Amino acid sequence: MSPKNNWYHGRICLRLSAALFNFSRAAQLGAVLDSSTGFWMFNRNCRAPDVSFVPKTRLNALWIQTQERRFFPGAPDLAVEICSPNILGPRLTSA
């Protein structure tokens, strides 16, 4: 089970997901997915990025339906991980 993220992380994910979803939907580009979506990598690891995108052409080629109940076979075309400020290291300050 992965660790839970804080309020700030959730808000960033939601805002980015909403912007990508609205853009993708308006142009009918493909699927924008959240962190609960699993992607089976070819080395058999399952990954779940914070936000991901798979274009419609790829979904159609793999016969992926909107009601699909299996993990996506392979990586998304866009995978976004929101990093905590702690991961980025100490902040630089001006003297």
Side-chain angles (χ1 to χ4, degrees):
M1 179 170 245
S2 62
K4 302 300 177 216
N5 290 303
N6 62 34
W7 177 275
Y8 183 64
H9 181 275
R11 295 279 298 161
I12 292 171
C13 289
L14 178 64
R15 291 177 69 190
L16 179 58
S17 296
L20 287 172
F21 175 81
N22 289 334
F23 180 80
S24 177
R25 185 173 185 195
Q28 299 181 358
L29 298 176
V32 176
L33 303 152
D34 70 358
S35 63
S36 62
T37 305
F39 292 87
W40 274 116
M41 302 296 110
F42 296 115
N43 64 1
R44 304 308 295 158
N45 285 332
C46 188
R47 299 289 183 225
D50 288 329
V51 181
S52 55
F53 171 78
V54 180
K56 182 170 54 174
T57 54
R58 189 160 170 224
L59 294 171
N60 292 340
L62 293 171
W63 299 88
I64 303 293
Q65 303 297 312
T66 56
Q67 297 85 12
E68 195 70 48
R69 297 195 183 274
R70 62 186 168 120
F71 291 124
F72 188 86
D77 289 63
L78 173 68
V80 178
E81 282 293 327
I82 308 300
C83 293
S84 164
N86 298 346
I87 292 173
L88 300 176
R91 295 179 187 235
L92 299 176
T93 57
S94 58

Coordinates of all heavy atoms in Angstrom, one line a residue:
M1 N 0.8 -1.2 0.0 CA 0.0 0.0 0.0 C 0.9 1.2 0.0 O 1.8 1.3 0.8 CB -0.9 0.0 1.2 CG -1.8 1.1 1.3 SD -3.0 0.9 2.6 CE -4.5 0.9 1.6
S2 N 0.6 2.2 -0.9 CA 1.4 3.4 -0.9 C 1.0 4.4 0.1 O -0.1 4.4 0.6 CB 1.3 4.0 -2.3 OG 0.0 4.4 -2.6
P3 N 1.9 5.2 0.5 CA 1.6 6.2 1.6 C 0.6 7.3 1.0 O 0.6 7.5 -0.2 CB 3.0 6.9 1.9 CG 3.8 6.7 0.7 CD 3.3 5.3 0.1
K4 N -0.2 7.8 1.9 CA -1.1 8.8 1.5 C -0.4 10.2 1.4 O 0.6 10.4 2.0 CB -2.2 8.9 2.6 CG -3.0 7.6 2.8 CD -3.6 7.2 1.5 CE -4.3 5.9 1.7 NZ -4.3 5.0 0.5
N5 N -1.0 11.0 0.6 CA -0.4 12.3 0.4 C -1.2 13.4 1.1 O -2.4 13.2 1.4 CB -0.3 12.6 -1.1 CG 0.7 11.8 -1.8 OD1 1.9 11.8 -1.4 ND2 0.3 11.0 -2.8
N6 N -0.6 14.6 1.2 CA -1.3 15.7 2.0 C -2.3 16.5 1.1 O -2.4 16.2 -0.1 CB -0.2 16.6 2.6 CG 0.7 17.2 1.6 OD1 0.2 17.6 0.5 ND2 1.9 17.4 2.0
W7 N -2.9 17.4 1.7 CA -3.9 18.2 1.1 C -3.3 19.0 -0.1 O -3.9 19.1 -1.2 CB -4.4 19.2 2.2 CG -5.4 20.2 1.7 CD1 -5.1 21.4 1.2 CD2 -6.8 20.1 1.8 NE1 -6.3 22.1 0.9 CE2 -7.3 21.3 1.3 CE3 -7.7 19.2 2.2 CZ2 -8.7 21.6 1.2 CZ3 -9.1 19.4 2.2 CH2 -9.5 20.6 1.6
Y8 N -2.2 19.6 0.1 CA -1.5 20.4 -1.0 C -1.3 19.5 -2.2 O -1.5 19.9 -3.3 CB -0.2 21.0 -0.4 CG 0.5 21.9 -1.3 CD1 -0.1 23.1 -1.7 CD2 1.8 21.6 -1.8 CE1 0.6 23.9 -2.6 CE2 2.5 22.4 -2.6 CZ 1.9 23.6 -3.0 OH 2.6 24.4 -3.9
H9 N -0.7 18.3 -2.0 CA -0.5 17.4 -3.1 C -1.7 17.1 -3.8 O -1.8 17.1 -5.1 CB 0.2 16.1 -2.5 CG 0.5 15.1 -3.6 ND1 -0.4 14.2 -4.0 CD2 1.7 14.9 -4.2 CE1 0.2 13.4 -4.9 NE2 1.5 13.8 -5.1
G10 N -2.8 16.8 -3.1 CA -4.1 16.5 -3.7 C -4.6 17.6 -4.6 O -5.2 17.4 -5.6
R11 N -4.5 18.8 -4.1 CA -5.0 20.0 -4.8 C -4.2 20.2 -6.1 O -4.8 20.5 -7.1 CB -4.9 21.3 -4.0 CG -5.8 21.3 -2.7 CD -7.2 21.6 -3.0 NE -7.2 23.0 -3.5 CZ -8.3 23.5 -4.2 NH1 -9.3 22.7 -4.4 NH2 -8.3 24.7 -4.6
I12 N -2.9 20.0 -6.1 CA -2.1 20.1 -7.3 C -2.5 19.1 -8.3 O -2.7 19.4 -9.5 CB -0.6 20.0 -7.0 CG1 -0.1 21.2 -6.2 CG2 0.2 19.9 -8.2 CD1 1.3 21.1 -5.6
C13 N -2.7 17.8 -7.8 CA -3.1 16.7 -8.7 C -4.4 17.0 -9.4 O -4.6 16.8 -10.6 CB -3.1 15.4 -8.0 SG -1.5 14.8 -7.6
L14 N -5.4 17.5 -8.5 CA -6.7 17.8 -9.0 C -6.7 18.9 -10.1 O -7.3 18.8 -11.1 CB -7.6 18.1 -7.9 CG -9.1 18.5 -8.3 CD1 -9.7 17.3 -8.9 CD2 -9.8 19.0 -7.2
R15 N -6.0 20.0 -9.8 CA -6.0 21.1 -10.7 C -5.3 20.7 -12.1 O -5.8 21.1 -13.1 CB -5.3 22.3 -10.1 CG -6.1 22.9 -9.0 CD -5.4 24.0 -8.3 NE -5.3 25.1 -9.2 CZ -4.6 26.2 -8.9 NH1 -3.9 26.3 -7.8 NH2 -4.6 27.2 -9.7
L16 N -4.2 20.0 -12.0 CA -3.5 19.5 -13.2 C -4.4 18.5 -14.0 O -4.6 18.7 -15.2 CB -2.2 18.9 -12.9 CG -1.4 18.4 -14.1 CD1 -1.1 19.5 -15.1 CD2 -0.1 17.8 -13.6
S17 N -5.0 17.6 -13.3 CA -5.9 16.6 -13.9 C -7.1 17.3 -14.6 O -7.4 17.0 -15.7 CB -6.4 15.6 -12.9 OG -5.4 14.9 -12.3
A18 N -7.7 18.3 -13.9 CA -8.8 19.0 -14.5 C -8.5 19.7 -15.7 O -9.2 19.7 -16.7 CB -9.4 19.9 -13.4
A19 N -7.3 20.4 -15.7 CA -6.9 21.2 -16.9 C -6.6 20.2 -18.1 O -7.0 20.5 -19.2 CB -5.6 22.0 -16.5
L20 N -5.9 19.1 -17.8 CA -5.6 18.2 -18.9 C -6.9 17.5 -19.4 O -7.0 17.3 -20.6 CB -4.6 17.1 -18.4 CG -3.2 17.6 -18.2 CD1 -2.4 16.5 -17.5 CD2 -2.5 18.0 -19.5
F21 N -7.8 17.2 -18.5 CA -9.0 16.5 -18.9 C -9.8 17.5 -19.8 O -10.3 17.1 -20.8 CB -9.8 16.1 -17.6 CG -11.2 15.6 -18.0 CD1 -11.3 14.3 -18.4 CD2 -12.3 16.4 -17.9 CE1 -12.6 13.8 -18.7 CE2 -13.6 15.9 -18.2 CZ -13.7 14.6 -18.6
N22 N -10.0 18.7 -19.3 CA -10.8 19.7 -20.1 C -10.2 19.9 -21.5 O -10.9 19.9 -22.5 CB -10.9 21.0 -19.4 CG -11.8 20.9 -18.2 OD1 -12.7 20.0 -18.1 ND2 -11.6 21.7 -17.2
F23 N -8.9 20.0 -21.6 CA -8.2 20.2 -22.9 C -8.4 19.0 -23.8 O -8.7 19.0 -24.9 CB -6.7 20.5 -22.7 CG -6.0 20.7 -23.9 CD1 -6.0 21.9 -24.6 CD2 -5.2 19.7 -24.5 CE1 -5.3 22.1 -25.8 CE2 -4.5 19.9 -25.6 CZ -4.6 21.1 -26.3
S24 N -8.1 17.8 -23.2 CA -8.2 16.5 -23.9 C -9.6 16.3 -24.4 O -9.9 15.8 -25.5 CB -7.7 15.4 -23.0 OG -7.9 14.1 -23.7
R25 N -10.6 16.5 -23.5 CA -12.0 16.3 -23.9 C -12.5 17.2 -25.0 O -13.1 16.7 -25.9 CB -12.9 16.4 -22.6 CG -14.3 16.1 -22.9 CD -15.1 16.1 -21.6 NE -16.4 15.6 -21.9 CZ -17.4 15.8 -21.1 NH1 -17.3 16.4 -19.9 NH2 -18.6 15.3 -21.4
A26 N -12.1 18.5 -24.9 CA -12.5 19.4 -26.0 C -12.0 19.0 -27.3 O -12.7 19.2 -28.3 CB -12.0 20.8 -25.6
A27 N -10.8 18.5 -27.4 CA -10.1 18.1 -28.7 C -10.3 16.6 -28.9 O -9.8 16.2 -29.9 CB -8.7 18.5 -28.6
Q28 N -10.9 15.9 -28.0 CA -11.1 14.4 -28.2 C -9.8 13.7 -28.4 O -9.6 13.0 -29.3 CB -12.1 14.1 -29.3 CG -13.5 14.7 -29.0 CD -14.5 14.3 -30.1 OE1 -14.1 13.7 -31.1 NE2 -15.7 14.8 -29.9
L29 N -8.8 14.0 -27.5 CA -7.5 13.5 -27.7 C -7.2 12.1 -27.1 O -6.4 11.4 -27.5 CB -6.5 14.5 -27.1 CG -6.4 15.9 -27.7 CD1 -5.5 16.8 -27.0 CD2 -6.0 15.7 -29.2
G30 N -7.9 11.8 -26.0 CA -7.7 10.5 -25.3 C -8.1 10.6 -23.9 O -9.0 11.3 -23.5
A31 N -7.5 9.7 -23.0 CA -7.9 9.6 -21.6 C -6.9 10.2 -20.7 O -5.7 9.9 -20.8 CB -8.1 8.1 -21.3
V32 N -7.4 11.0 -19.7 CA -6.6 11.5 -18.6 C -7.1 10.7 -17.4 O -8.3 10.5 -17.1 CB -6.9 13.0 -18.4 CG1 -6.2 13.5 -17.1 CG2 -6.5 13.8 -19.6
L33 N -6.1 10.1 -16.7 CA -6.4 9.2 -15.6 C -5.7 9.7 -14.3 O -4.7 10.4 -14.3 CB -5.9 7.8 -16.0 CG -6.5 7.3 -17.3 CD1 -5.6 6.4 -18.0 CD2 -7.9 6.8 -17.0
D34 N -6.2 9.2 -13.1 CA -5.7 9.6 -11.8 C -4.8 8.5 -11.3 O -4.5 7.5 -11.9 CB -6.8 10.0 -10.9 CG -7.6 8.8 -10.4 OD1 -7.4 7.6 -10.9 OD2 -8.5 9.0 -9.6
S35 N -4.4 8.7 -10.0 CA -3.4 7.8 -9.4 C -3.9 6.5 -9.0 O -3.1 5.6 -8.6 CB -2.8 8.5 -8.2 OG -3.8 8.7 -7.2
S36 N -5.2 6.3 -9.2 CA -5.7 4.9 -8.9 C -5.7 4.0 -10.1 O -6.1 2.8 -10.0 CB -7.1 5.0 -8.3 OG -8.0 5.6 -9.2
T37 N -5.2 4.5 -11.2 CA -5.1 3.7 -12.4 C -3.8 3.0 -12.5 O -2.7 3.6 -12.5 CB -5.3 4.6 -13.7 OG1 -6.6 5.3 -13.5 CG2 -5.3 3.8 -14.9
G38 N -3.8 1.7 -12.6 CA -2.6 0.9 -12.7 C -2.1 0.7 -14.2 O -2.9 0.5 -15.1
F39 N -0.8 0.7 -14.4 CA -0.2 0.5 -15.7 C 0.8 -0.7 -15.5 O 1.8 -0.5 -14.7 CB 0.5 1.7 -16.2 CG -0.4 2.9 -16.5 CD1 -0.8 3.8 -15.6 CD2 -0.8 3.0 -17.8 CE1 -1.7 4.8 -15.9 CE2 -1.7 4.0 -18.2 CZ -2.1 4.9 -17.2
W40 N 0.6 -1.8 -16.2 CA 1.5 -2.9 -16.1 C 2.7 -2.6 -17.1 O 2.5 -2.6 -18.3 CB 0.9 -4.2 -16.6 CG 0.1 -4.9 -15.5 CD1 -1.2 -5.2 -15.5 CD2 0.7 -5.5 -14.3 NE1 -1.5 -5.9 -14.3 CE2 -0.4 -6.1 -13.6 CE3 2.0 -5.6 -13.8 CZ2 -0.2 -6.8 -12.4 CZ3 2.2 -6.3 -12.6 CH2 1.1 -6.9 -11.9
M41 N 3.9 -2.5 -16.5 CA 5.1 -2.3 -17.3 C 5.5 -3.6 -17.9 O 5.1 -4.7 -17.4 CB 6.2 -1.7 -16.4 CG 5.9 -0.4 -15.7 SD 5.7 0.9 -16.9 CE 4.0 1.2 -16.7
F42 N 6.3 -3.6 -18.9 CA 6.7 -4.8 -19.5 C 7.6 -5.7 -18.6 O 7.7 -6.9 -18.9 CB 7.4 -4.5 -20.9 CG 6.5 -3.9 -21.8 CD1 6.7 -2.6 -22.2 CD2 5.4 -4.5 -22.3 CE1 5.8 -2.0 -23.1 CE2 4.5 -3.9 -23.1 CZ 4.7 -2.6 -23.6
N43 N 8.2 -5.1 -17.6 CA 9.0 -5.9 -16.6 C 8.1 -6.5 -15.5 O 8.6 -6.9 -14.5 CB 10.2 -5.1 -16.1 CG 9.7 -3.9 -15.2 OD1 8.5 -3.7 -15.1 ND2 10.6 -3.1 -14.7
R44 N 6.8 -6.3 -15.7 CA 5.8 -6.8 -14.7 C 5.6 -6.0 -13.5 O 4.9 -6.5 -12.5 CB 6.0 -8.3 -14.4 CG 6.0 -9.2 -15.6 CD 4.9 -9.1 -16.6 NE 3.6 -9.5 -16.0 CZ 2.4 -9.1 -16.5 NH1 2.3 -8.3 -17.5 NH2 1.3 -9.5 -15.9
N45 N 6.2 -4.8 -13.4 CA 5.9 -3.9 -12.3 C 4.6 -3.2 -12.6 O 4.4 -2.8 -13.8 CB 7.0 -2.9 -12.1 CG 8.2 -3.5 -11.5 OD1 8.2 -4.4 -10.7 ND2 9.4 -2.9 -11.8
C46 N 3.8 -2.9 -11.6 CA 2.6 -2.1 -11.8 C 2.9 -0.7 -11.3 O 3.3 -0.6 -10.1 CB 1.4 -2.7 -11.1 SG -0.1 -1.9 -11.5
R47 N 2.6 0.3 -12.1 CA 2.9 1.7 -11.6 C 1.6 2.5 -11.7 O 0.7 2.2 -12.5 CB 3.9 2.4 -12.6 CG 5.3 1.7 -12.5 CD 5.9 2.0 -11.2 NE 7.3 1.4 -11.2 CZ 7.7 0.7 -10.2 NH1 7.0 0.5 -9.1 NH2 9.0 0.2 -10.2
A48 N 1.5 3.5 -10.9 CA 0.3 4.4 -10.9 C 0.7 5.8 -10.7 O 0.8 6.3 -9.6 CB -0.7 3.9 -9.8
P49 N 1.0 6.5 -11.8 CA 1.4 7.9 -11.7 C 0.3 8.8 -11.1 O -0.9 8.4 -11.1 CB 1.7 8.4 -13.1 CG 1.7 7.1 -13.9 CD 0.9 6.1 -13.2
D50 N 0.6 9.9 -10.5 CA -0.4 10.9 -10.0 C -1.4 11.3 -11.1 O -2.6 11.3 -10.8 CB 0.3 12.1 -9.4 CG 1.1 11.8 -8.1 OD1 0.6 10.9 -7.4 OD2 2.1 12.5 -7.9
V51 N -0.9 11.6 -12.3 CA -1.7 11.9 -13.4 C -1.1 11.3 -14.6 O 0.1 11.3 -14.8 CB -1.8 13.5 -13.6 CG1 -2.7 13.9 -14.8 CG2 -2.2 14.2 -12.3
S52 N -2.0 10.8 -15.5 CA -1.4 10.1 -16.7 C -2.4 10.4 -17.9 O -3.5 10.8 -17.7 CB -1.3 8.6 -16.5 OG -2.4 8.0 -16.1
F53 N -1.8 10.3 -19.1 CA -2.6 10.5 -20.3 C -2.2 9.4 -21.3 O -1.0 9.1 -21.5 CB -2.3 11.9 -20.9 CG -2.8 12.1 -22.3 CD1 -4.2 12.3 -22.4 CD2 -2.1 11.9 -23.4 CE1 -4.7 12.5 -23.7 CE2 -2.6 12.1 -24.7 CZ -3.9 12.4 -24.8
V54 N -3.2 8.9 -22.0 CA -3.0 7.9 -23.1 C -3.9 8.4 -24.3 O -5.1 8.7 -24.1 CB -3.5 6.5 -22.7 CG1 -3.3 5.5 -23.9 CG2 -2.7 6.0 -21.5
P55 N -3.3 8.6 -25.4 CA -4.0 9.1 -26.6 C -5.0 8.2 -27.1 O -4.9 6.9 -27.0 CB -2.9 9.5 -27.6 CG -1.8 8.6 -27.2 CD -1.8 8.4 -25.8
K56 N -6.1 8.7 -27.7 CA -7.2 7.9 -28.3 C -6.7 6.9 -29.3 O -7.2 5.7 -29.3 CB -8.2 8.8 -28.9 CG -9.4 8.1 -29.5 CD -10.5 9.0 -29.9 CE -10.1 10.1 -30.8 NZ -11.2 10.9 -31.3
T57 N -5.7 7.3 -30.1 CA -5.2 6.3 -31.1 C -4.6 5.1 -30.5 O -4.8 4.0 -31.0 CB -4.2 7.0 -32.0 OG1 -3.1 7.6 -31.2 CG2 -4.8 8.1 -32.9
R58 N -3.9 5.3 -29.4 CA -3.3 4.1 -28.7 C -4.4 3.3 -28.0 O -4.3 2.1 -28.0 CB -2.3 4.6 -27.7 CG -1.5 3.5 -27.1 CD -0.2 4.0 -26.6 NE 0.5 2.9 -25.8 CZ 1.0 3.1 -24.6 NH1 1.0 4.3 -24.0 NH2 1.6 2.1 -24.0
L59 N -5.4 3.9 -27.4 CA -6.5 3.2 -26.8 C -7.2 2.3 -27.8 O -7.5 1.2 -27.5 CB -7.4 4.2 -26.1 CG -6.9 5.0 -24.9 CD1 -7.9 6.1 -24.6 CD2 -6.6 4.1 -23.8
N60 N -7.5 2.9 -29.0 CA -8.2 2.2 -30.0 C -7.3 1.0 -30.5 O -7.9 -0.1 -30.8 CB -8.5 3.1 -31.2 CG -9.6 4.1 -30.8 OD1 -10.3 3.9 -29.8 ND2 -9.7 5.2 -31.5
A61 N -6.0 1.2 -30.7 CA -5.2 0.2 -31.2 C -5.1 -1.0 -30.2 O -4.9 -2.2 -30.7 CB -3.8 0.7 -31.5
L62 N -5.2 -0.7 -28.9 CA -5.2 -1.8 -27.9 C -6.5 -2.3 -27.5 O -6.7 -3.1 -26.6 CB -4.4 -1.3 -26.7 CG -2.9 -1.0 -26.9 CD1 -2.3 -0.3 -25.7 CD2 -2.2 -2.3 -27.2
W63 N -7.6 -1.8 -28.1 CA -8.9 -2.2 -27.8 C -9.3 -1.9 -26.4 O -10.0 -2.7 -25.8 CB -9.2 -3.7 -28.2 CG -9.0 -4.0 -29.6 CD1 -7.8 -4.3 -30.2 CD2 -10.0 -3.9 -30.7 NE1 -8.0 -4.5 -31.6 CE2 -9.3 -4.3 -31.9 CE3 -11.3 -3.6 -30.7 CZ2 -10.0 -4.3 -33.1 CZ3 -12.0 -3.7 -31.9 CH2 -11.3 -4.0 -33.1
I64 N -8.8 -0.8 -25.8 CA -9.2 -0.4 -24.5 C -10.5 0.3 -24.5 O -10.7 1.3 -25.2 CB -8.1 0.5 -23.9 CG1 -6.7 -0.2 -23.9 CG2 -8.5 1.0 -22.5 CD1 -6.6 -1.4 -23.0
Q65 N -11.4 -0.1 -23.7 CA -12.8 0.5 -23.6 C -12.9 1.3 -22.3 O -12.1 1.1 -21.4 CB -13.8 -0.6 -23.6 CG -13.8 -1.6 -24.7 CD -14.1 -0.9 -26.1 OE1 -15.0 -0.2 -26.2 NE2 -13.2 -1.1 -27.0
T66 N -13.8 2.2 -22.3 CA -14.0 3.1 -21.1 C -14.4 2.3 -19.9 O -14.1 2.8 -18.8 CB -15.1 4.2 -21.4 OG1 -16.3 3.6 -21.8 CG2 -14.6 5.2 -22.5
Q67 N -15.0 1.2 -20.0 CA -15.4 0.4 -18.9 C -14.4 -0.7 -18.6 O -14.7 -1.7 -17.9 CB -16.8 -0.3 -19.1 CG -17.9 0.6 -19.3 CD -18.0 1.1 -20.7 OE1 -17.4 0.6 -21.7 NE2 -18.8 2.2 -20.9
E68 N -13.2 -0.6 -19.1 CA -12.1 -1.6 -18.9 C -11.9 -1.9 -17.4 O -11.8 -1.0 -16.6 CB -10.8 -1.1 -19.6 CG -9.8 -2.1 -19.8 CD -10.2 -3.1 -20.9 OE1 -10.6 -2.7 -21.9 OE2 -10.1 -4.3 -20.6
R69 N -11.7 -3.2 -17.1 CA -11.5 -3.5 -15.7 C -10.1 -4.1 -15.5 O -9.8 -4.6 -14.4 CB -12.5 -4.5 -15.3 CG -13.9 -3.9 -15.3 CD -14.9 -4.8 -14.6 NE -16.2 -4.2 -14.7 CZ -16.7 -3.3 -13.9 NH1 -16.0 -2.8 -12.9 NH2 -17.9 -2.8 -14.0
R70 N -9.2 -4.1 -16.5 CA -7.8 -4.6 -16.3 C -6.9 -3.4 -16.3 O -7.2 -2.3 -16.7 CB -7.5 -5.6 -17.4 CG -7.5 -4.9 -18.8 CD -7.3 -5.9 -19.9 NE -7.6 -5.4 -21.2 CZ -6.8 -5.2 -22.2 NH1 -5.5 -5.7 -22.1 NH2 -7.1 -4.7 -23.3
F71 N -5.7 -3.7 -15.8 CA -4.6 -2.6 -15.9 C -4.2 -2.4 -17.3 O -4.3 -3.3 -18.2 CB -3.4 -3.1 -15.1 CG -3.6 -3.1 -13.6 CD1 -3.4 -4.3 -12.9 CD2 -4.1 -2.1 -12.9 CE1 -3.5 -4.4 -11.5 CE2 -4.3 -2.1 -11.5 CZ -4.0 -3.3 -10.8
F72 N -3.8 -1.2 -17.6 CA -3.4 -0.8 -18.9 C -2.1 -1.5 -19.2 O -1.2 -1.5 -18.4 CB -3.2 0.7 -19.0 CG -2.9 1.2 -20.4 CD1 -4.0 1.5 -21.3 CD2 -1.6 1.3 -20.9 CE1 -3.7 1.9 -22.5 CE2 -1.4 1.8 -22.1 CZ -2.4 2.1 -23.0
P73 N -1.9 -2.1 -20.4 CA -0.7 -2.9 -20.7 C 0.4 -1.9 -21.2 O 0.3 -1.5 -22.4 CB -1.2 -3.8 -21.9 CG -2.3 -3.1 -22.5 CD -3.0 -2.3 -21.4
G74 N 1.3 -1.6 -20.4 CA 2.4 -0.7 -20.8 C 2.3 0.6 -20.0 O 1.4 0.9 -19.2
A75 N 3.2 1.5 -20.4 CA 3.2 2.9 -19.8 C 2.3 3.9 -20.5 O 2.0 3.7 -21.7 CB 4.7 3.4 -19.9
P76 N 1.8 4.9 -19.7 CA 1.1 5.9 -20.4 C 2.0 6.8 -21.2 O 3.2 6.8 -21.0 CB 0.5 6.7 -19.2 CG 1.5 6.5 -18.1 CD 2.0 5.1 -18.3
D77 N 1.5 7.5 -22.1 CA 2.3 8.4 -23.0 C 2.8 9.6 -22.2 O 3.8 10.2 -22.5 CB 1.5 8.9 -24.2 CG 1.3 7.7 -25.2 OD1 0.7 6.7 -24.8 OD2 1.9 7.8 -26.3
L78 N 2.0 10.0 -21.2 CA 2.4 11.1 -20.3 C 2.2 10.6 -18.8 O 1.1 10.1 -18.5 CB 1.6 12.4 -20.5 CG 1.8 13.5 -19.5 CD1 3.2 14.1 -19.6 CD2 0.7 14.6 -19.7
A79 N 3.2 10.7 -18.0 CA 3.1 10.3 -16.6 C 3.6 11.4 -15.8 O 4.7 11.9 -16.0 CB 3.9 9.0 -16.3
V80 N 2.8 11.9 -14.8 CA 3.2 13.0 -14.0 C 3.2 12.6 -12.5 O 2.3 12.0 -12.0 CB 2.2 14.2 -14.1 CG1 2.5 15.3 -13.2 CG2 2.0 14.6 -15.6
E81 N 4.3 12.9 -11.9 CA 4.5 12.6 -10.4 C 4.7 14.0 -9.8 O 5.5 14.7 -10.2 CB 5.7 11.7 -10.1 CG 5.4 10.3 -10.4 CD 4.4 9.6 -9.5 OE1 4.3 10.1 -8.3 OE2 3.7 8.7 -9.9
I82 N 3.9 14.3 -8.8 CA 4.0 15.5 -8.1 C 5.0 15.3 -6.9 O 4.8 14.4 -6.1 CB 2.6 16.0 -7.5 CG1 1.6 16.0 -8.6 CG2 2.8 17.3 -6.8 CD1 1.8 17.0 -9.7
C83 N 6.1 16.1 -7.0 CA 7.1 15.9 -5.9 C 6.9 16.8 -4.7 O 6.5 17.9 -4.9 CB 8.5 16.2 -6.5 SG 9.0 15.1 -7.8
S84 N 7.1 16.2 -3.6 CA 7.1 17.0 -2.3 C 8.3 17.9 -2.3 O 9.4 17.6 -2.8 CB 7.1 16.0 -1.2 OG 7.4 16.7 0.0
P85 N 8.1 19.1 -1.7 CA 9.3 20.0 -1.5 C 10.4 19.3 -0.8 O 11.6 19.6 -1.0 CB 8.7 21.2 -0.7 CG 7.3 21.2 -1.0 CD 6.9 19.7 -1.2
N86 N 10.1 18.3 0.1 CA 11.2 17.6 0.8 C 12.1 16.8 -0.1 O 13.2 16.6 0.1 CB 10.6 16.7 1.9 CG 9.8 17.5 2.9 OD1 9.9 18.7 3.0 ND2 9.0 16.8 3.7
I87 N 11.5 16.3 -1.2 CA 12.3 15.5 -2.2 C 13.2 16.3 -3.0 O 14.3 15.9 -3.4 CB 11.3 14.8 -3.1 CG1 10.5 13.7 -2.3 CG2 12.0 14.1 -4.3 CD1 9.4 13.1 -3.1
L88 N 12.9 17.6 -3.2 CA 13.7 18.5 -4.0 C 15.0 18.9 -3.3 O 15.8 19.5 -3.9 CB 12.9 19.7 -4.5 CG 11.6 19.3 -5.3 CD1 10.8 20.6 -5.6 CD2 12.0 18.6 -6.6
G89 N 15.1 18.7 -2.0 CA 16.3 19.1 -1.3 C 16.1 20.5 -0.7 O 15.0 21.1 -0.7
P90 N 17.2 21.0 0.0 CA 17.0 22.3 0.6 C 16.8 23.4 -0.3 O 17.3 23.4 -1.5 CB 18.4 22.4 1.4 CG 19.3 21.5 0.6 CD 18.5 20.4 0.1
R91 N 16.0 24.4 0.1 CA 15.8 25.5 -0.7 C 16.9 26.5 -0.7 O 17.5 26.7 0.4 CB 14.5 26.2 -0.3 CG 13.3 25.4 -0.5 CD 12.1 26.1 0.0 NE 10.9 25.2 0.0 CZ 9.8 25.5 -0.7 NH1 9.7 26.6 -1.3 NH2 8.8 24.6 -0.7
L92 N 17.2 27.1 -1.8 CA 18.3 28.1 -1.8 C 17.7 29.4 -1.4 O 16.6 29.8 -1.8 CB 18.9 28.2 -3.3 CG 19.5 27.0 -3.8 CD1 19.9 27.2 -5.3 CD2 20.7 26.6 -3.0
T93 N 18.4 30.1 -0.6 CA 18.0 31.5 -0.1 C 19.1 32.5 -0.5 O 20.2 32.2 -0.6 CB 17.8 31.5 1.4 OG1 19.0 31.1 2.0 CG2 16.7 30.5 1.8
S94 N 18.6 33.7 -0.8 CA 19.6 34.7 -1.1 C 20.0 35.4 0.2 O 19.3 35.5 1.1 CB 18.9 35.7 -2.0 OG 17.8 36.3 -1.4
A95 N 21.3 35.8 0.2 CA 21.9 36.4 1.4 C 21.6 37.9 1.4 O 21.5 38.5 0.4 CB 23.4 36.1 1.4

